[in-house]
Amino acid sequence: MSGRPVRVCTTRRAERTADTLERLSRDVDLWVASASDDGRAYLVPLSYHWDGSTLTIATPSASPTARNLIRAGWVRAALGQTRDVVIVEGRVAAISIGADPELEDAHARSTGFDPRTLADEYVSLRIAPKEIQAWRESNELDGRVLMRDGAWLE
Amino acid sequence: MSGRPVRVCTTRRAERTADTLERLSRDVDLWVASASDDGRAYLVPLSYHWDGSTLTIATPSASPTARNLIRAGWVRAALGQTRDVVIVEGRVAAISIGADPELEDAHARSTGFDPRTLADEYVSLRIAPKEIQAWRESNELDGRVLMRDGAWLE
């Protein structure tokens, strides 16, 4: 026994990136944080569509999330589990419902709901990730950054 | 057949409140949303201690979450699952580490970590819930408010 603490083995970046891409493809919901211009935080779960490089959510135009994200042009969102975290930060572009039928079809297939069939006015919000982090528990906080400035790290 | 749509049966408030109290006691982690004074949203998962009426989290004093929550004096947080949602909004009070050893002991027992043993300076943030909502899927959005102005609804 050397007395040296056992080094906790963490998942390598290539594996974390592969796991994260798989989570983005397979998961349906994410937590969307947003803020008003006077610094009031908001948080809701929403379903999303992942097309391999961007996430699309749809929410009522009058909702705090739509207002906040359109104002900021930026989102911080998290997939699924508190002990298997994927945090996505990125730019937000608003797309009026009806403007991109192909995207709306894909969103409806992925999320199981189609805002075109609803009475409320919705807006599509397309998120282009700029930074992605993934970790399970605190021992994996080192090496959690997988994407920076929109590029997956090698 | 009357042609009238079947009314989706939702969980009654007393049952939702009991389930929510059980979740608050049993769960360990929550998603904490916060915002800077210039309207930039932040989101992290943190472990908490629930004492039956307040939640206590602890995070580095220099972290965005600590700065944002102390500034706003307010938090919006969510427990666990995107399809079994518990949203808590409430006032935040900052308590210096060392000021309330009993609370710090309880927090360490609930969360499995003790900021008093760490080199970084931490702060305890005690959340007094003012509004609590709970729902599973969209059919349960009606009736999701369980607490208002700090009082559980009858």
Side-chain angles (χ1 to χ4, degrees):
Chain A
M1 298 289 290
S2 68
R4 202 185 301 168
V6 175
R7 187 164 172 282
V8 175
C9 191
T10 63
T11 314
R12 276 183 294 190
R13 187 187 288 153
E15 198 182 323
R16 282 200 211 191
T17 299
D19 289 348
T20 299
L21 284 164
E22 211 261 324
R23 287 281 306 282
L24 285 161
S25 295
R26 191 190 58 213
D27 279 18
V28 177
D29 302 321
L30 81 176
W31 293 100
V32 179
S34 66
S36 62
D37 59 359
D38 60 348
R40 193 174 172 96
Y42 200 70
L43 178 63
V44 281
L46 291 172
S47 299
Y48 69 88
H49 164 64
W50 168 250
D51 68 4
S53 61
T54 66
L55 299 127
T56 300
I57 56 178
T59 190
S61 306
S63 66
T65 298
R67 282 199 314 271
N68 291 343
L69 293 187
I70 291 169
R71 177 197 64 76
W74 190 262
V75 67
R76 184 169 167 108
L79 262 63
Q81 311 302 314
T82 55
R83 302 280 167 129
D84 191 3
V85 178
V86 177
I87 298 266
V88 176
E89 285 202 65
R91 293 229 180 86
V92 176
I95 304 169
S96 301
I97 298 292
D100 189 339
E102 202 177 321
L103 180 64
E104 289 152 24
D105 290 344
H107 172 274
R109 279 194 302 274
S110 293
T111 65
F113 92 100
D114 187 342
R116 293 170 293 188
T117 66
L118 303 174
D120 285 346
E121 189 195 325
Y122 274 64
V123 62
S124 294
L125 299 166
R126 194 168 197 165
I127 299 165
K130 293 295 160 189
E131 181 164 318
I132 295 179
Q133 303 175 46
W135 71 93
R136 286 182 294 209
E137 305 211 17
S138 55
N139 66 304
E140 286 200 352
L141 283 170
D142 284 348
R144 68 185 178 276
V145 177
L146 303 180
M147 174 187 282
R148 191 171 279 147
D149 296 331
W152 293 99
L153 302 182
E154 292 297 317
Chain B
M1 296 290 287
S2 69
R4 201 186 302 167
V6 175
R7 189 166 170 282
V8 176
C9 191
T10 63
T11 314
R12 277 183 294 192
R13 188 188 287 152
E15 199 182 323
R16 282 199 212 191
T17 299
D19 290 348
T20 299
L21 283 164
E22 210 261 323
R23 286 281 305 281
L24 284 161
S25 295
R26 191 190 56 213
D27 279 18
V28 177
D29 302 321
L30 80 177
W31 293 99
V32 178
S34 66
S36 62
D37 58 359
D38 60 349
R40 194 175 171 97
Y42 200 70
L43 178 63
V44 281
L46 291 172
S47 300
Y48 69 88
H49 165 63
W50 168 249
D51 67 5
S53 61
T54 66
L55 299 126
T56 301
I57 55 177
T59 190
S61 305
S63 66
T65 297
R67 282 200 314 270
N68 292 343
L69 293 187
I70 291 169
R71 177 197 64 76
W74 190 261
V75 68
R76 185 169 167 109
L79 262 64
Q81 311 301 313
T82 54
R83 302 280 168 129
D84 191 2
V85 178
V86 176
I87 298 267
V88 176
E89 285 202 65
R91 294 229 180 85
V92 176
I95 304 169
S96 300
I97 298 292
D100 189 339
E102 203 177 320
L103 180 65
E104 289 153 23
D105 289 345
H107 173 273
R109 278 194 302 273
S110 294
T111 65
F113 92 98
D114 188 342
R116 293 171 293 187
T117 65
L118 303 174
D120 284 346
E121 189 194 327
Y122 274 64
V123 62
S124 295
L125 299 165
R126 194 167 198 165
I127 300 165
K130 293 294 159 188
E131 182 165 317
I132 296 179
Q133 302 176 47
W135 72 92
R136 284 180 296 209
E137 305 212 17
S138 54
N139 66 304
E140 286 201 351
L141 283 171
D142 285 348
R144 68 186 177 275
V145 178
L146 302 181
M147 174 186 281
R148 190 171 278 146
D149 296 330
W152 293 98
L153 302 181
E154 291 296 318

